[in-house]
Amino acid sequence: MLGYKDAPHRDFARFAALSGGGWLLDTALLLALVALFQIPASVANLFSAATAASLVYLVSHHRIHDGQRHRTEIRLGIYLIYTAALILAASLAIGAILPLLGAGTAATFAAKCIVTPPQLLCNFLVSRTLARATLGRRNG
């Protein structure tokens, strides 16, 4: 039986709170790149989301998921490959959603809000799995 300390819902709440800070960083970078440098939102999202996802993973690995202490660099590399695929999908989704919402910063923000919830759930599940995987280390 899982104790409260090990409950996935507790870890998800903590991960969601941490991800909220990452999302604020991500969104601020995205909007700045779009508004100040006129970089297309789908391209700017690649940079902003990768930056925030890396920070969230590194903090959550030990502090939320009680991750394995060995091979953190390999775990981060795997997570970044996963993140690149997810960010590409989200960026394409933002590009597809924007024509429905209009142009400008407000539409970019709305599109970002639409793609965020499924990303959050996927990020939690993948980061938790990676943090706890043995990655070649035998138990016992």
Side-chain angles (χ1 to χ4, degrees):
M1 186 166 135
L2 292 175
Y4 175 75
K5 191 173 184 180
D6 298 322
H9 67 278
R10 179 183 162 274
D11 288 346
F12 181 75
R14 291 173 62 209
F15 185 84
L18 173 63
S19 292
W23 188 85
L24 291 174
L25 171 65
D26 176 3
T27 303
L29 284 171
L30 171 66
L31 296 177
L33 291 169
V34 169
L36 299 175
F37 302 105
Q38 288 74 47
I39 296 173
S42 57
V43 174
N45 189 65
L46 295 170
F47 174 76
S48 65
T51 301
S54 297
L55 291 171
V56 168
Y57 178 77
L58 289 171
V59 172
S60 70
H61 177 79
H62 295 300
R63 297 195 179 268
I64 295 174
H65 301 308
D66 297 322
Q68 298 285 326
R69 299 286 183 203
H70 70 290
R71 299 185 176 179
T72 302
E73 67 283 352
I74 293 172
R75 295 167 197 282
L76 177 60
I78 294 168
Y79 189 75
L80 289 177
I81 292 168
Y82 149 78
T83 298
L86 185 66
I87 292 169
L88 179 59
S91 296
L92 292 171
I94 285 172
I97 293 168
L98 274 176
L100 303 173
L101 301 176
T105 305
T108 300
F109 180 75
K112 182 71 171 178
C113 289
I114 291 168
V115 302
T116 295
Q119 282 184 281
L120 174 63
L121 181 59
C122 289
N123 288 344
F124 173 74
L125 295 172
V126 170
S127 66
R128 182 180 182 89
T129 300
L130 271 174
R132 295 182 173 189
T134 58
L135 291 185
R137 182 182 248 183
R138 295 177 192 242
N139 294 335

